[in-house]
Amino acid sequence: MIQLFLIGIGTGNPDHMTLQAIRALNDCDLVLIPRKGANKADLAGLRRAICDEMLTTPGVRIQEFDLPRRDADNPDYEAGVDDWHDAIAKVWADEITRRQGHSGRVALLVWGDPSLYDSTLRIAERVARHLPLSVTVIPGITSIQALTATHAIPLNEIGAPFVVTTGRQLRDHGWPAGADTVVVMLDGDCAFQTLDPDGITIWWSAYAGMTNEVALTGPLAEVGDQIIAARAKARKAHGWIMDIYLMRRQQG
């Protein structure tokens, strides 16, 4: 049986690796590193840098492989994602079988934490349709933690709830009911532009916790345009961007 270790690596900063993650990485036979195209080569490079720094066990093999791309033209978003996950699972299974056979320990390094707005666990379930598989999750530092650490703010007000959502949900459904604090992930279009900014403060970060982090904060009405410009500049400079933001609305 293949023992698949999904290892949370935080936001790509080697300092985010926990001792548990380092031990798991060194206990594996094979580390798979996905490639997402030339414009996101940094992502594979950061995973390799983590391996270079953290791997001390001789004989652990590292293998890069290409991921299929999602059909962005599919008008049915959920169906398109479902097909994409099937394709990724097939590639994973093929790579594991080719490089490791049907037994041994295989690691995949997952941005942030495998359980929060990440599809790695769902894809792993599909891999189990192709070969015998057990899954072990090593939790990692989330971008939410990195964001709040950068700005030195608590995630929630005293005794108050907060909501973690996506840019798509914010754009389509507006501010979530019942919460004065909202964390927004996976937002490629700056969905905060759809809100009435009055009374909203925003804390934003791109590449949270990394050496090239960019962060802005202030009243949404004042810094919204600055965030849009900074985001576009960072994306152009690096070819990719991972950003996150927290918004807090005045009560009353």
Side-chain angles (χ1 to χ4, degrees):
M1 175 177 286
I2 291 292
Q3 294 176 274
L4 181 62
F5 289 81
L6 305 180
I7 301 176
I9 61 171
T11 61
N13 185 335
D15 290 344
H16 288 183
M17 291 284 286
T18 65
L19 291 176
Q20 184 186 20
I22 295 169
R23 283 195 294 266
L25 186 65
N26 278 278
D27 283 344
C28 286
D29 304 302
L30 173 67
V31 181
L32 291 177
I33 297 181
R35 292 188 296 245
K36 297 185 177 181
N39 64 332
K40 295 185 178 180
D42 283 358
L43 300 180
L46 287 168
R47 286 181 169 97
R48 273 201 169 273
I50 286 173
C51 290
D52 289 344
E53 183 168 343
M54 301 300 174
L55 272 177
T56 57
T57 302
V60 178
R61 290 168 289 122
I62 301 173
Q63 181 62 48
E64 294 188 9
F65 67 102
D66 293 319
L67 282 179
R69 295 188 178 186
R70 179 174 67 86
D71 180 8
D73 294 328
N74 189 329
D76 188 331
Y77 174 76
E78 292 188 2
V81 170
D82 192 57
D83 291 342
W84 182 43
H85 287 174
D86 278 341
I88 293 175
K90 181 62 166 58
V91 170
W92 283 15
D94 289 347
E95 284 294 324
I96 291 170
T97 301
R98 182 181 302 115
R99 310 294 178 181
Q100 189 61 37
H102 284 171
S103 65
R105 296 179 168 222
V106 178
L108 278 158
L109 306 182
V110 182
W111 292 102
D113 184 272
S115 67
L116 179 62
Y117 277 115
D118 184 87
S119 293
T120 306
L121 277 165
R122 283 182 283 271
I123 295 168
E125 290 179 358
R126 300 173 190 228
V127 175
R129 303 170 189 169
H130 300 278
L131 74 164
L133 190 75
S134 68
V135 176
T136 299
V137 176
I138 310 298
I141 292 174
T142 68
S143 57
I144 297 175
Q145 293 168 291
L147 171 74
T148 55
T150 288
H151 291 284
I153 57 171
L155 179 57
N156 65 297
E157 300 279 46
I158 296 175
F162 62 89
V163 169
V164 181
T165 189
T166 67
R168 181 184 296 271
Q169 290 292 320
L170 185 70
R171 181 198 66 202
D172 293 346
H173 303 289
W175 189 281
D180 293 313
T181 297
V182 177
V183 178
V184 183
M185 305 176 68
L186 304 178
D187 184 4
D189 299 309
C190 297
F192 55 76
Q193 297 175 87
T194 64
L195 301 174
D196 177 356
D198 187 42
I200 297 176
T201 301
I202 187 170
W203 293 262
W204 171 84
S205 173
Y207 318 107
M210 300 173 68
T211 56
N212 58 338
E213 181 173 13
V214 183
L216 289 167
T217 186
L220 180 57
E222 296 178 13
V223 301
D225 288 343
Q226 296 176 40
I227 290 171
I228 293 169
R231 189 181 192 280
K233 181 179 179 181
R235 186 184 186 96
K236 182 178 181 180
H238 297 283
W240 61 279
I241 191 165
M242 290 184 181
D243 64 335
I244 182 173
Y245 54 92
L246 180 152
M247 296 182 294
R248 193 161 279 149
R249 191 167 58 181
Q250 294 177 356
Q251 299 182 5

